[in-house]
Amino acid sequence: EVGTIPYTVTTIGDGAFAGLGLTNIDIPRNVTTIGNGAFANCMYLESINIPNSVTKIGNSAFSGCSALENIDIPNSVTTIGNGAFDSCENLQSVNIPNSVTKIGNFAFAFCYRLTEITIPNSVTSIGSGAFEECSSLTSIAIPNTVTTIGDNAFDSCERISSINIPNSVTEIGKEAFSGCTSLQSINIPDRITDIREGTFFGCSSIEDICIPNSVTTIGDGAFCYCSSLQSIDIPGSVTK
């Protein structure tokens, strides 16, 4: 079933097409907002055209669109809402434009087939669980504009072997890289003061790690079950 939206429409409301059997839909160029859950659980939706008039993709807008394989987000979009593409199980590639400043919580969580994604240097915040259980991702580049990596942001991304955290990052959330079992090397920026609970829990391939002098606190289970860890340098700045 192909959906047609009249050109007079400027906003697609919350849950407008949720759960329908649509296979394709063309969003007209007058639309500026795709509401929360607008196309949630449209399980047969294979393709969608988002025009460059859209500035906001709402929370869970395409959550559960399990047939969707590719998505091109136009450079008019500034906000990708929480859970916007959550559980799009067959999504393989996403283009995030350099207009986006924040990737919402669980925005791409449980996108099991997602193999590549580029985070542009406009992004300052990666939300909690943003890429949780994206188990096909092998690498990801975090730009030096990012200051915050949320809780569980890359939790259980089990194929990522290396990741570079830029010095712009001042906060890494709890369990941010927990269960990244292929991760062999990681750098902790020298602006981090707190390595939180379970940050690298179960990263069983990490062999060595250097903790910068800026760190004062290492949380419970931060390096628990890092079974390949051979050396770790804990600076005198750590008090807990």
Side-chain angles (χ1 to χ4, degrees), residues 30-93:
N30 289 331
V31 172
T32 59
T33 301
I34 299 174
N36 298 337
F39 298 94
N41 298 314
C42 289
M43 297 174 62
Y44 304 102
L45 189 63
E46 297 174 352
S47 66
I48 190 159
N49 176 47
I50 302 175
N52 60 11
S53 56
V54 173
T55 59
K56 180 183 178 182
I57 299 175
N59 298 338
S60 303
F62 298 96
S63 175
C65 293
S66 53
L68 199 61
E69 294 186 358
N70 301 287
I71 194 83
D72 189 14
I73 300 171
N75 60 11
S76 53
V77 172
T78 58
T79 302
I80 298 175
N82 298 337
F85 299 95
D86 170 26
S87 300
C88 291
E89 297 175 359
N90 283 298
L91 192 64
Q92 297 177 38
S93 65

Side-chain angles (χ1 to χ4, degrees), residues 190-205:
D190 57 14
R191 297 178 68 187
I192 295 295
T193 59
D194 183 10
I195 299 175
R196 297 183 179 175
E197 297 96 315
T199 300
F200 300 101
F201 182 98
C203 292
S204 54
S205 296

Side-chain angles (χ1 to χ4, degrees), residues 77-82 96 99-105 107-108 122-128:
V77 172
T78 58
T79 302
I80 298 175
N82 298 337
I96 300 177
S99 54
V100 173
T101 58
K102 180 182 179 181
I103 299 173
N105 300 338
F108 299 97
S122 55
V123 171
T124 59
S125 175
I126 299 173
S128 297

